[in-house]
Amino acid sequence: MDRDVVRELYDREMRQGARADGPGVRVERVGAVVRQTGGRDDWNGVLWSDLDDATADAAIAAQIRHFGSADRTFEWKLYAHDRPGDLGERLRAAGFVPEPEETLMVAHVAELDTAVEPPQGVRLLPVTDAAGVERVVDVHERAFGDDGTALRHRLLAQLAEDPDTVAAVVAMDGDRPVSAARMELPPGAPFAGLWGGGTVPEWRGRGVYRALVAFRARIAADRGCRYLQVDASGLSRPILRRLGFVPLTTTTPYVYRA
């Protein structure tokens, strides 16, 4: 994989040319910024910018005004290669708080091993209804310690209004959900995004995460996607490397709270 070429494709297709990631949200380019605006339970934030020393501070202030007028907490998704080089410092000075850095990792779908099976006794269930969404939320809250309200809203809306743009799966140990993940499939995009992969503590290190990646890779292959993309944490990076994913850059969410 030519990492520079793929990174440029990602920037062009998934950031500068971003599609709305769910019903009821809008993506718009305003000057040198591409942003998404939605409801309180949607993802709100800046996806891409083309700034320099002379324009950065004014653009930051404009986004604070925009999202502030709607009383929205929002995220400025900053990548290591974004400019100017001190954009992170400028965001902090404006009141943004950085969250842990992640690694943008990508794999060719055709090169992934999709024959990985879950551990013995675990079955994988596609999520197609509200009961399945509740299992995903249950895993999310136990695995990450986060409130799952926004995730519930997002999945229910996508399944009801645009089901071809999402594929979610839950790993079950008997009747108990122990791991879950989803894949975003923007229409016409060369990248499908792997999101929310979480496993409850007692099931980590037993191969469930790898099985969920393979499950989603099979769907991506069937849908004709060229690449899978992950914003990987330190916990998942080694697993993804072994599966064939390569790092392109790092990304840090800078959050401005309403």
Side-chain angles (χ1 to χ4, degrees):
M1 180 186 296
D2 187 324
R3 300 185 190 192
D4 290 339
V5 169
V6 176
R7 191 186 72 187
E8 290 172 4
L9 177 66
Y10 183 83
D11 280 349
R12 185 170 64 251
E13 291 286 338
M14 309 307 293
R15 300 182 64 206
Q16 189 175 2
R19 293 87 164 157
D21 70 359
V25 303
R26 70 181 187 275
V27 171
E28 55 192 349
R29 179 166 182 168
V30 181
V33 168
V34 174
R35 68 190 181 202
Q36 175 171 293
T37 308
R40 292 185 182 279
D41 290 327
D42 296 310
W43 186 88
N44 289 271
V46 173
L47 294 151
W48 177 86
S49 64
D50 183 19
L51 306 173
D52 57 28
D53 290 339
T55 60
D57 292 336
I60 291 169
Q63 301 319 305
I64 291 173
R65 289 194 301 272
H66 167 73
F67 288 103
S69 68
D71 194 28
R72 296 287 184 267
T73 291
F74 74 103
E75 175 184 318
W76 192 299
K77 196 160 175 58
L78 179 67
Y79 290 76
H81 58 284
D82 288 345
R83 296 291 179 265
D86 65 348
L87 185 52
E89 296 172 20
R90 293 171 185 260
L91 290 168
R92 284 193 293 271
F96 289 77
V97 176
E99 294 191 343
E101 181 184 87
E102 299 168 317
T103 301
L104 173 63
M105 303 186 75
V106 170
H108 282 288
V109 172
E111 296 176 0
L112 290 173
D113 179 6
T114 61
V116 179
E117 295 296 332
Q120 186 174 4
V122 172
R123 57 197 172 95
L124 303 185
L125 292 181
V127 174
T128 59
D129 55 19
V133 170
E134 289 307 313
R135 295 186 186 103
V136 173
V137 172
D138 176 62
V139 169
H140 177 87
E141 294 182 339
R142 287 190 288 135
F144 300 114
D146 294 337
D147 179 76
T149 300
L151 175 61
R152 179 185 293 109
H153 162 84
R154 180 191 187 101
L155 281 176
L156 287 173
Q158 285 179 289
L159 288 174
E161 299 181 42
D162 210 355
D164 289 339
T165 65
V166 65
V169 57
V170 179
M172 302 291 294
D173 173 27
D175 294 329
R176 187 170 185 249
V178 297
S179 187
R182 73 181 192 278
M183 178 169 60
E184 301 287 339
L185 296 145
F191 295 84
L194 303 187
W195 300 95
T199 303
V200 299
E202 62 270 27
W203 272 91
R204 291 172 186 163
R206 299 167 68 174
V208 182
Y209 180 83
R210 291 193 299 273
L212 293 184
V213 171
F215 180 93
R216 290 174 289 171
R218 290 194 292 270
I219 296 173
D222 290 342
R223 301 281 188 90
C225 295
R226 291 166 56 194
Y227 300 101
L228 285 182
Q229 165 261 320
V230 188
D231 287 349
S233 68
L235 190 65
S236 58
R237 274 195 300 268
I239 302 170
L240 291 164
R241 277 186 178 274
R242 290 194 294 270
L243 292 175
F245 286 76
V246 298
L248 298 185
T249 186
T250 59
T251 178
T252 303
Y254 281 79
V255 178
Y256 192 97
R257 301 203 176 276

